[in-house]
Amino acid sequence: MKLTRTTVLAGAFLLGATMAPSAADLPPKEALGKKLFFDTGLSVNGTQSCAACHAPEAGFTGPDAAANAGGAVYEGALPNHFGNRKPPTSAYAGDSPILHQDASGNWVGGMFWDGRATGKVLGDPLAEQAQGPYLNPLEQAIANAQVLCAKVKKADYAGLFEDVWGSGSLDCARDVNGVYEKIGRSVAAYERSQEVNPFTSKFDQFWDNAKAAGKDVARIRCGSGGMGGGGGMGGAMGCPGSGMDPNRWTQFRNLGLNDNELQGLAVFNDPNRANCSACHSLEAGSNGYPLFTDFGYDNIGTPKNPANPFYSMPPAWNPDGQNWVDYGLGGYLKNAGYPLEVYGPQMGTHKVPTLRNVDQRPTPDFVKAYGHNGFFKSLEDIVFFYHWRAMMDGGMCNGDGMGGGGMGGNCEAMSTMFPPPEVEQNRATLGMFPRPQVDNIVLFLKTLSDGYFTR
């Protein structure tokens, strides 16, 4: 299915819980960006808009359940033209900085899974990313910026473009590069808008309630002791609610999340458990709420997705065929001319995605794909993978882990539950947490869908 329009469905967990506002309800630059974002005319054959891969009803990611259930890579405007990665969400991305190495040498920022929209040209990675798909031959496939400019000049919103950017700003002959830049900046303005980033999830209501009560959600964790407080397994690996820690999860009751969701959040955030927040940060972003990403890059050991249609693309696009390996940021840095000592430690790493709207879907049975290549087909799958990978790396099958093995003699079956990583090098160390908490983390992640309440 290719979207020629995007229908925003009403429902308790969909965008704003009502129909999305029209462009007329937005400030002019955001309204212009929305017109550009949903315009199927801005493709080589008038069949594909940005929303074809970034639809509101799916959390601004891929809206085709059949595609998600398979290769998870979307066909471009031209038939049988496929890119190499799953569409990431285009929401909650505006805080991503220019790609750079921080004081610890970690790469941070940029856009796309591999960071190639660095932000160094326009000073804004989101605007650079917005420019990319229009001219990508495997996406909207417009020949060049001159053709794109001409299409915008003929659109019914050309007057709005000049209202926003000034009289003569659509002069394709005089300043085509300037027009191309303004298109990217306009789309980025819409992608930063309150419509795309409403912060209206169940978690956001909980965050507000906790803040009003003087509690810091970014410090929530498990307690100490045994199985008290509904902590499940108890001990070092469970999530007990007892003890003296003022930030134990039981201290956050009656603020909007139930006990299972609170335990999931506590395990997610606890540095001695899953520690997901080490990358999917709970620190507040520019809007005062967590974005659930540190904008960094990691390799969690995701297997290849054998259904990825990019493997079958002609040599002009994929000269390696079935042997193609997605090296992520490391591959981009290598191709950009960085030396081995720079790109080597990044081979196989991909950008940490926001978890906001990670479960947003138009219907309960809609299939979403997860990971840069869409290998995982449900939240349960990918969270269980984190649990499994940590158990394997933690020696659970050689007697070094919890309970002298802890797999009940089924280690061989467990060790082959997932295929090997596509890229073994630079694999991140994942936090260990018990199987019962997989379900609680999933329940917590489901609280991140916008539309739970109206601001």
Side-chain angles (χ1 to χ4, degrees):
M1 176 187 73
K2 289 185 186 178
L3 292 189
T4 57
R5 62 185 180 87
T6 298
T7 302
V8 182
L9 304 175
F13 285 90
L14 297 178
L15 188 64
T18 58
M19 297 300 286
S22 69
D25 298 311
L26 297 170
K29 187 186 292 187
E30 295 175 9
L32 172 61
K34 182 172 183 175
K35 293 283 190 180
L36 294 161
F37 189 89
F38 286 93
D39 187 357
T40 58
L42 302 185
S43 59
V44 65
N45 51 10
T47 64
Q48 190 173 71
S49 70
C50 302
C53 297
H54 304 282
E57 68 266 28
F60 286 91
T61 185
D64 187 337
N68 296 342
V73 174
Y74 279 53
E75 189 176 31
L78 296 173
N80 301 313
H81 283 57
F82 292 90
N84 55 13
R85 300 185 182 106
K86 179 190 81 71
T89 178
S90 59
Y92 294 104
D95 278 11
S96 188
I98 293 173
L99 183 68
H100 68 283
Q101 284 184 284
D102 65 14
S104 300
N106 300 312
W107 286 89
V108 180
M111 289 295 294
F112 293 117
W113 286 106
D114 60 2
R116 67 186 185 277
T118 64
K120 294 179 181 178
V121 176
L122 300 183
D124 182 359
L126 190 60
E128 289 184 17
Q129 185 280 326
Q131 291 179 312
Y134 292 120
L135 307 190
N136 188 326
L138 301 181
E139 296 187 59
Q140 287 164 272
I142 295 176
N144 52 52
Q146 188 77 32
V147 175
L148 174 62
C149 179
K151 284 177 174 287
V152 173
K153 194 169 184 177
K154 293 178 182 178
D156 61 6
Y157 51 84
L160 176 60
F161 194 103
E162 293 207 334
D163 287 344
V164 170
W165 292 107
S167 178
S169 56
L170 268 176
D171 188 338
C172 303
R174 182 180 61 84
D175 187 21
V176 66
N177 290 331
V179 176
Y180 187 40
E181 175 180 338
K182 291 175 177 67
I183 289 171
R185 292 192 185 279
S186 299
V187 173
Y190 172 64
E191 291 178 329
R192 287 188 170 98
S193 71
Q194 187 175 354
E195 178 178 321
V196 180
N197 314 276
F199 295 98
T200 55
S201 70
K202 185 177 184 180
F203 171 83
D204 294 312
Q205 192 173 71
F206 164 75
W207 177 274
D208 288 341
N209 292 340
K211 188 174 181 180
K215 297 181 181 295
D216 185 357
V217 175
R219 298 177 65 84
I220 191 172
R221 62 190 64 212
C222 299
S224 58
M227 294 177 67
M233 292 178 65
M237 287 300 295
C239 191
S242 58
M244 299 300 294
D245 191 332
N247 297 303
R248 63 192 185 276
W249 66 265
T250 48
Q251 297 300 300
F252 290 81
R253 280 172 165 158
N254 303 314
L255 295 174
L257 299 186
N258 65 36
D259 278 7
N260 294 107
E261 293 161 348
L262 283 172
Q263 282 189 60
L265 172 55
V267 174
F268 179 98
N269 192 50
D270 197 318
N272 296 314
R273 272 75 172 181
N275 196 27
C276 308
S277 62
C279 299
H280 298 284
S281 175
L282 279 173
E283 296 301 316
S286 62
N287 288 78
Y289 296 89
L291 296 170
F292 294 94
T293 176
D294 62 358
F295 302 109
Y297 293 80
D298 288 292
N299 174 14
I300 63 169
T302 302
K304 278 191 172 187
N305 182 353
N308 187 344
F310 185 73
Y311 290 119
S312 300
M313 287 292 289
W317 312 115
N318 177 18
D320 297 326
Q322 295 293 326
N323 296 320
W324 175 72
V325 175
D326 189 348
Y327 287 110
L329 174 64
Y332 162 70
L333 294 174
K334 180 180 180 180
N335 292 336
Y338 286 85
L340 175 62
E341 59 267 26
V342 175
Y343 73 75
Q346 301 304 320
M347 296 297 271
T349 66
H350 290 85
K351 193 175 183 187
V352 177
T354 177
L355 297 180
R356 285 189 167 273
N357 291 317
V358 71
D359 191 52
Q360 184 86 292
R361 60 189 71 228
T363 60
D365 59 349
F366 178 87
V367 177
K368 291 190 79 168
Y370 299 93
H372 67 276
N373 61 7
F375 176 85
F376 306 101
K377 305 304 181 185
S378 71
L379 273 180
E380 290 78 6
D381 283 350
I382 191 168
V383 176
F384 180 79
F385 173 81
Y386 274 81
H387 157 77
W388 173 85
R389 177 65 70 192
M391 294 294 107
M392 294 297 102
D393 291 349
M396 296 303 294
C397 276
N398 60 21
D400 295 334
M402 180 179 64
M407 293 296 182
N410 197 29
C411 280
E412 183 175 354
M414 285 291 292
S415 64
T416 57
M417 185 169 288
F418 290 95
E422 179 176 13
V423 180
E424 175 63 37
Q425 66 195 99
N426 307 316
R427 201 155 50 76
T429 300
L430 303 181
M432 197 178 296
F433 59 101
R435 174 63 183 87
Q437 294 298 342
V438 169
D439 301 325
N440 286 335
I441 291 176
V442 169
L443 289 172
F444 159 63
L445 293 175
K446 289 176 180 287
T447 72
L448 300 181
S449 296
D450 285 320
Y452 184 77
F453 70 101
T454 301
R455 290 195 178 276

